[in-house]
């Protein structure tokens, strides 16, 4: 096998890898902004901590628990909270 043949093979392998990588790379999305329960009540005036906890418990807000067990902090997706408030306002207007 000549040097030229080896270079052609390497070039072909490289192009195959490049096309594979470009097909499988997921687009980078925006980071998810998470809020504590206190931050949720500050963002939406009139919303109580109890109500936020109830919405999280019923699964109406996207959330995670950061930390172990019951002592972990509840973090709520800001987008989920704003979407919930927006949908609630639309229901009231109808």
């Amino acid at each position: 096998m000549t040097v030229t043949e080896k270079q052609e093979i390497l070039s072909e392998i490289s192009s195959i890898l490049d096309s594979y990588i470009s097909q499988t790379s997921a687009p980078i999305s925006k980071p998810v902004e998470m809020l504590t329960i206190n931050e949720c009540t500050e963002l939406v005036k009139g919303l109580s901590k109890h109500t936020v906890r109830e919405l999280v418990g019923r699964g109406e807000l996207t959330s995670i628990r950061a930390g172990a067990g019951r002592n972990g902090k509840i973090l709520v997706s800001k987008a989920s909270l704003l979407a919930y408030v927006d949908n609630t306002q639309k229901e009231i207007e109808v």
Side-chain angles (χ1 to χ4, degrees), residues 45-57:
K45 301 298 180 201
L47 190 64
S48 70
K49 294 177 189 178
H50 176 76
T51 302
V52 175
R53 285 189 184 97
E54 286 290 318
L55 292 171
V56 167

Side-chain angles (χ1 to χ4, degrees), residues 26-72:
I28 298 174
S29 62
K30 294 181 184 178
V32 177
E33 189 171 352
M34 303 298 281
L35 304 171
T36 64
I37 290 178
N38 286 336
E39 290 170 336
C40 290
T41 60
E42 291 169 8
L43 181 65
V44 181
K45 301 298 180 201
L47 190 64
S48 70
K49 294 177 189 178
H50 176 76
T51 302
V52 175
R53 285 189 184 97
E54 286 290 318
L55 292 171
V56 167
R58 291 194 307 245
E60 294 184 45
L61 295 177
T62 304
S63 66
I64 60 170
R65 185 176 292 273
R70 296 182 52 88
N71 295 329

Side-chain angles (χ1 to χ4, degrees), residues 21 55 64 69 76 94:
I21 290 171
L55 292 171
I64 60 170
V76 178
V94 171

